[in-house]
DNA sequence: CGTGCTGTTGAGGACGATCAATGACGGTGG
DNA sequence: CCACCGTCATTGATCGTCCTCAACAGCACG
């Protein structure tokens, strides 16, 4: 019983951390988190949103890594962003009906997801306005990250990949996890960076030679975060959560 | 007197149109629009947000074309998006304190801007929840457009430019204006597409030769919108406004 | 009538894609 | 237990797209 609670608590920790940083009041968190229904466990490659295509809920990634992508007519895949524990998978759908119908959210590693029914979500938004603001903020931050990605994609591949890796570290640490290992395959990274796998691999070895990365099994470990960020012109602020709040929040 | 009203009316038309499409109720529009304070007229190159750096207000583009960009250390410029009459220039700042400090909004053509004081904005958001939803939606749509841009930037230059031009038409028509002329210089388009001016120019002539574009003075006119969209794999839906509303709106 | 911005054209070179092949690893089924 | 297969990582060689540099023409501006 205690063990179960502990485990449940653990899986909610990233989301709790994220909502806190997004400006949700600590006292409101308990109620909000308690309304989340735990969903299935998914394997790499599974379509997270297709699991319940009905779209009657907001989907939260409770554990693991997912990616938002689109498959092109020629079979190639563009990954727009990776998502980590505590991230909302389909935030746009709530305010915008048929947002990006072609966009898919897939599991990159083994994942566990949670649901928040639309009906419940609506209640929460009315009851806790800071929750709505948090979701809105989340969208604004995502937009900023996307701009940074676009910017980095104009750079040569070495710096582009460096930026991508820094972004992953920053996204992880947004949920309170400060892990230097990025468990993402080169194939996935290539699809995110818009480079060929072959070239990503070459860039990798260059980064290894520069002692910025090292390999842990099949995965990547970032050795020198600072130098990697400078190389990729990564601006950590682009994913920062607010602690200070705008007048909007003071008002409501 | 009547003429003044008419002109004032005219300048609010795009914003009115846009808010309507974003789901703001028609009855609420009058009050919202009446609270907008008209700002100065700006010339090409002017920094729109620096005009009133205080950030005590939301800035609306009333007329003309602006662009959101960032200047890099090497002097080059990345344009993230062009903005048209009715667009909000600094929507992110309201929910997120120091969002993108390096990001600038500049006037691409002669512009007229309007202001909505934060205090007033807060009042309106409380009074007309659909207005808040509209702003949130606006952000989601912007994110979708950015994803489409990222996607198109993986294509060869010809299709990339085609996509960019289609996006401009779509953005214009979002405010009710259906104009086939795009008054943006090749330099600006190059900075937006992430290509060199030289290469953009070559692509241009190719598009001219394909009878997709024609030149009107120094400006571009889109001759065959459909073929251009197909060439650039442009998905018009990515900028679509909702008419049907999600459960969120029904609730509030 | 210069000065600056935009548009246009040419030539050379770099970065990264593509094609092709191989090795390593884990899972599956005979 | 081993053969087989799929995914991922790695390496080499060729080729194309697009950048860079450079120069010049048109046009608006003072």
């Amino acid at each position: 019983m205690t063990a179960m609670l502990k485990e449940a608590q653990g899986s909610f920790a990233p989301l709790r951390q994220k909502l806190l940083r997004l400006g949700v009041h600590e006292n409101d968190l308990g109620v909000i988190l308690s309304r989340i229904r735990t969903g299935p466990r998914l394997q790499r490659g599974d379509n997270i949103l297709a699991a319940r295509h009905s779209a009657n809920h907001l989907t939260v990634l409770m554990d693991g890594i997912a990616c938002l992508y689109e498959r092109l007519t020629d079979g190639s895949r563009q990954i727009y962003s990776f998502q980590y524990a505590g991230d909302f998978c389909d935030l746009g759908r709530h305010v915008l009906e048929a947002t990006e119908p072609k966009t898919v959210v897939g599991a990159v590693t083994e994942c566990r997801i949670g649901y928040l029914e639309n009906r419940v979500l609506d209640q929460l938004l009315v009851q806790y306005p800071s929750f709505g603001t948090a979701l809105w903020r989340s969208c604004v931050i995502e937009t900023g990250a996307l701009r940074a990605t676009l910017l980095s994609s104009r750079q040569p591949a070495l710096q582009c990949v460096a930026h991508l890796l820094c972004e992953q570290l920053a996204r992880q640490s947004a949920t309170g996890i400060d892990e230097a290992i990025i468990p993402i395959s080169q194939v996935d990274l290539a699809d995110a960076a818009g480079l060929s796998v072959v070239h990503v691999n070459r860039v990798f070895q260059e980064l290894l030679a520069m002692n910025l990365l090292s390999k842990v099994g099949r995965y990547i470990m970032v050795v020198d975060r600072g130098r990697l960020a400078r190389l990729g012109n990564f601006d950590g602020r682009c994913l920062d959560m607010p602690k200070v709040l705008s007048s909007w929040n003071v008002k409501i």
Side-chain angles (χ1 to χ4, degrees), chain A:
Chain A
M1 189 65 179
T2 312
M4 271 183 59
L5 273 176
K6 206 166 182 180
E7 193 198 3
Q9 192 76 334
S11 69
F12 280 85
L15 179 57
R16 163 185 291 274
Q17 180 70 19
K18 195 182 174 193
L19 289 178
L20 257 180
R21 296 198 185 185
L22 284 170
V24 176
H25 196 282
E26 190 153 15
N27 298 341
D28 305 344
L29 269 177
V31 178
I32 294 172
L33 294 178
S34 74
R35 299 309 211 79
I36 292 178
R37 212 158 40 75
T38 63
R41 201 176 290 260
L42 298 176
Q43 295 303 316
R44 166 167 174 81
D46 287 352
N47 184 337
I48 290 184
L49 299 185
R52 286 253 177 155
H53 183 270
S54 46
N56 286 329
H57 47 68
L58 181 66
T59 310
V60 189
L61 190 58
M62 303 305 287
D63 194 49
I65 304 180
C67 69
L68 184 83
Y69 70 91
E70 198 161 311
R71 197 161 285 285
L72 308 187
T73 49
D74 66 353
S76 68
R77 181 180 61 151
Q78 172 66 50
I79 294 182
Y80 294 117
S81 63
F82 292 101
Q83 303 177 328
Y84 295 86
D87 284 339
F88 304 99
C89 299
D90 50 359
L91 193 49
R93 282 211 298 213
H94 194 251
V95 288
L96 205 52
E97 183 89 0
T99 318
E100 323 127 54
K102 301 184 303 184
T103 295
V104 188
V105 176
V108 169
T109 67
E110 189 183 354
C111 286
R112 201 166 58 226
I113 60 181
Y115 296 125
L116 202 51
E117 297 292 339
N118 277 350
R119 205 168 300 177
V120 176
L121 178 54
D122 288 337
Q123 286 174 8
L124 291 175
L125 287 173
V126 173
Q127 206 167 350
Y128 307 107
S130 74
F131 183 45
T133 307
L135 297 187
W136 185 352
R137 274 199 187 114
S138 191
C139 176
V140 173
I141 292 174
E142 196 58 33
T143 306
L146 217 47
R147 292 208 184 101
T149 300
L150 190 63
L151 191 61
S152 98
S153 75
R154 314 296 197 206
Q155 299 179 330
L158 183 71
Q159 329 195 16
C160 188
V161 171
H163 182 101
L164 183 61
L165 295 176
C166 287
E167 186 189 327
Q168 302 323 308
L169 291 185
R171 287 185 113 104
Q172 274 194 350
S173 72
T175 64
I177 305 166
D178 257 324
E179 181 68 64
I181 290 181
I182 301 175
I184 301 181
S185 73
Q186 293 183 19
V187 182
D188 291 336
L189 288 171
D191 283 344
L195 298 166
S196 67
V197 194
V198 175
H199 204 242
V200 164
N201 183 277
R202 295 200 163 104
V203 166
F204 252 82
Q205 290 166 45
E206 203 168 341
L207 290 171
L208 285 174
M210 296 168 82
N211 278 319
L212 296 177
L213 303 182
S214 71
K215 288 175 49 177
V216 176
R218 177 161 286 192
Y219 294 138
I220 306 147
M221 185 165 84
V222 175
V223 174
D224 191 333
R225 195 182 294 223
R227 277 210 298 145
L228 192 66
R230 251 171 291 133
L231 173 65
N233 295 311
F234 178 73
D235 182 1
R237 287 171 301 173
C238 78
L239 281 166
D240 271 357
M241 309 286 176
K243 42 199 174 292
V244 187
L245 308 173
S246 77
S247 58
W248 151 256
N249 208 294
V250 174
K251 180 72 193 175
I252 288 206

